[in-house]
PDB file of all heavy atoms in Angstrom:
ATOM      1  N   LYS A  49      10.842 -17.497 -10.015  1.00  0.00           N
ATOM      2  CA  LYS A  49       9.835 -17.852  -9.031  1.00  0.00           C
ATOM      3  C   LYS A  49      10.293 -19.118  -8.220  1.00  0.00           C
ATOM      4  O   LYS A  49      11.129 -19.854  -8.620  1.00  0.00           O
ATOM      5  CB  LYS A  49       8.510 -18.089  -9.639  1.00  0.00           C
ATOM      6  CG  LYS A  49       8.437 -19.225 -10.652  1.00  0.00           C
ATOM      7  CD  LYS A  49       7.119 -19.296 -11.275  1.00  0.00           C
ATOM      8  CE  LYS A  49       7.063 -20.448 -12.419  1.00  0.00           C
ATOM      9  NZ  LYS A  49       5.729 -20.473 -13.057  1.00  0.00           N
ATOM     10  N   VAL A  50       9.749 -19.178  -7.023  1.00  0.00           N
ATOM     11  CA  VAL A  50       9.951 -20.358  -6.196  1.00  0.00           C
ATOM     12  C   VAL A  50       8.773 -20.740  -5.429  1.00  0.00           C
ATOM     13  O   VAL A  50       7.971 -19.908  -5.053  1.00  0.00           O
ATOM     14  CB  VAL A  50      11.175 -20.046  -5.241  1.00  0.00           C
ATOM     15  CG1 VAL A  50      10.812 -18.872  -4.268  1.00  0.00           C
ATOM     16  CG2 VAL A  50      11.557 -21.345  -4.369  1.00  0.00           C
ATOM     17  N   ASP A  51       8.490 -22.048  -5.362  1.00  0.00           N
ATOM     18  CA  ASP A  51       7.371 -22.511  -4.633  1.00  0.00           C
ATOM     19  C   ASP A  51       7.640 -22.782  -3.160  1.00  0.00           C
ATOM     20  O   ASP A  51       8.601 -23.379  -2.830  1.00  0.00           O
ATOM     21  CB  ASP A  51       6.839 -23.769  -5.260  1.00  0.00           C
ATOM     22  CG  ASP A  51       6.233 -23.518  -6.654  1.00  0.00           C
ATOM     23  OD1 ASP A  51       5.748 -22.395  -6.854  1.00  0.00           O
ATOM     24  OD2 ASP A  51       6.292 -24.454  -7.514  1.00  0.00           O
ATOM     25  N   GLU A  52       6.802 -22.248  -2.317  1.00  0.00           N
ATOM     26  CA  GLU A  52       6.840 -22.532  -0.828  1.00  0.00           C
ATOM     27  C   GLU A  52       5.523 -22.772  -0.255  1.00  0.00           C
ATOM     28  O   GLU A  52       4.648 -21.981  -0.384  1.00  0.00           O
ATOM     29  CB  GLU A  52       7.416 -21.326  -0.072  1.00  0.00           C
ATOM     30  CG  GLU A  52       8.926 -21.047  -0.413  1.00  0.00           C
ATOM     31  CD  GLU A  52       9.498 -19.794   0.359  1.00  0.00           C
ATOM     32  OE1 GLU A  52       8.682 -19.408   1.339  1.00  0.00           O
ATOM     33  OE2 GLU A  52      10.508 -19.304  -0.060  1.00  0.00           O
ATOM     34  N   GLY A  53       5.290 -24.063   0.184  1.00  0.00           N
ATOM     35  CA  GLY A  53       3.952 -24.295   0.763  1.00  0.00           C
ATOM     36  C   GLY A  53       2.848 -24.173  -0.258  1.00  0.00           C
ATOM     37  O   GLY A  53       1.752 -23.787   0.174  1.00  0.00           O
ATOM     38  N   GLY A  54       3.153 -24.445  -1.520  1.00  0.00           N
ATOM     39  CA  GLY A  54       2.055 -24.377  -2.477  1.00  0.00           C
ATOM     40  C   GLY A  54       1.898 -23.015  -3.063  1.00  0.00           C
ATOM     41  O   GLY A  54       1.013 -22.784  -3.922  1.00  0.00           O
ATOM     42  N   ARG A  55       2.672 -21.949  -2.526  1.00  0.00           N
ATOM     43  CA  ARG A  55       2.517 -20.574  -2.994  1.00  0.00           C
ATOM     44  C   ARG A  55       3.702 -20.297  -3.807  1.00  0.00           C
ATOM     45  O   ARG A  55       4.856 -20.783  -3.615  1.00  0.00           O
ATOM     46  CB  ARG A  55       2.281 -19.613  -1.887  1.00  0.00           C
ATOM     47  CG  ARG A  55       1.132 -19.915  -0.960  1.00  0.00           C
ATOM     48  CD  ARG A  55      -0.188 -19.876  -1.782  1.00  0.00           C
ATOM     49  NE  ARG A  55      -0.490 -18.572  -2.301  1.00  0.00           N
ATOM     50  CZ  ARG A  55      -1.353 -17.649  -1.799  1.00  0.00           C
ATOM     51  NH1 ARG A  55      -1.870 -17.859  -0.569  1.00  0.00           N
ATOM     52  NH2 ARG A  55      -1.594 -16.585  -2.400  1.00  0.00           N
ATOM     53  N   THR A  56       3.598 -19.308  -4.824  1.00  0.00           N
ATOM     54  CA  THR A  56       4.676 -18.918  -5.598  1.00  0.00           C
ATOM     55  C   THR A  56       5.177 -17.512  -5.274  1.00  0.00           C
ATOM     56  O   THR A  56       4.421 -16.600  -5.161  1.00  0.00           O
ATOM     57  CB  THR A  56       4.292 -18.992  -7.160  1.00  0.00           C
ATOM     58  OG1 THR A  56       3.818 -20.247  -7.443  1.00  0.00           O
ATOM     59  CG2 THR A  56       5.458 -18.575  -8.019  1.00  0.00           C
ATOM     60  N   TYR A  57       6.485 -17.351  -5.136  1.00  0.00           N
ATOM     61  CA  TYR A  57       7.122 -16.089  -4.723  1.00  0.00           C
ATOM     62  C   TYR A  57       8.095 -15.651  -5.651  1.00  0.00           C
ATOM     63  O   TYR A  57       8.732 -16.417  -6.421  1.00  0.00           O
ATOM     64  CB  TYR A  57       7.708 -16.283  -3.322  1.00  0.00           C
ATOM     65  CG  TYR A  57       6.847 -16.575  -2.179  1.00  0.00           C
ATOM     66  CD1 TYR A  57       6.410 -17.885  -1.928  1.00  0.00           C
ATOM     67  CD2 TYR A  57       6.274 -15.561  -1.387  1.00  0.00           C
ATOM     68  CE1 TYR A  57       5.594 -18.234  -0.907  1.00  0.00           C
ATOM     69  CE2 TYR A  57       5.452 -15.825  -0.420  1.00  0.00           C
ATOM     70  CZ  TYR A  57       5.055 -17.199  -0.090  1.00  0.00           C
ATOM     71  OH  TYR A  57       4.220 -17.478   0.883  1.00  0.00           O
ATOM     72  N   ALA A  58       8.307 -14.272  -5.819  1.00  0.00           N
ATOM     73  CA  ALA A  58       9.274 -13.780  -6.684  1.00  0.00           C
ATOM     74  C   ALA A  58      10.658 -14.065  -6.102  1.00  0.00           C
ATOM     75  O   ALA A  58      10.867 -14.074  -4.926  1.00  0.00           O
ATOM     76  CB  ALA A  58       8.988 -12.268  -6.845  1.00  0.00           C
ATOM     77  N   VAL A  59      11.712 -14.183  -7.064  1.00  0.00           N
ATOM     78  CA  VAL A  59      13.026 -14.413  -6.606  1.00  0.00           C
ATOM     79  C   VAL A  59      13.891 -13.219  -7.097  1.00  0.00           C
ATOM     80  O   VAL A  59      15.049 -13.135  -6.706  1.00  0.00           O
ATOM     81  CB  VAL A  59      13.607 -15.709  -7.070  1.00  0.00           C
ATOM     82  CG1 VAL A  59      12.850 -16.898  -6.453  1.00  0.00           C
ATOM     83  CG2 VAL A  59      13.539 -15.806  -8.626  1.00  0.00           C
ATOM     84  N   TYR A  60      13.384 -12.409  -8.011  1.00  0.00           N
ATOM     85  CA  TYR A  60      14.252 -11.223  -8.449  1.00  0.00           C
ATOM     86  C   TYR A  60      14.272 -10.217  -7.373  1.00  0.00           C
ATOM     87  O   TYR A  60      13.361  -9.951  -6.574  1.00  0.00           O
ATOM     88  CB  TYR A  60      13.549 -10.630  -9.697  1.00  0.00           C
ATOM     89  CG  TYR A  60      14.309  -9.520 -10.278  1.00  0.00           C
ATOM     90  CD1 TYR A  60      15.343  -9.750 -11.263  1.00  0.00           C
ATOM     91  CD2 TYR A  60      14.082  -8.179  -9.919  1.00  0.00           C
ATOM     92  CE1 TYR A  60      16.090  -8.773 -11.750  1.00  0.00           C
ATOM     93  CE2 TYR A  60      14.794  -7.166 -10.436  1.00  0.00           C
ATOM     94  CZ  TYR A  60      15.758  -7.407 -11.327  1.00  0.00           C
ATOM     95  OH  TYR A  60      16.536  -6.370 -11.942  1.00  0.00           O
TER      96      TYR A  60
END
Side-chain angles (χ1 to χ4, degrees):
K49 58 185 178 180
V50 60
D51 291 329
E52 291 180 16
R55 303 302 297 264
T56 303
Y57 296 85
V59 296
Y60 182 86

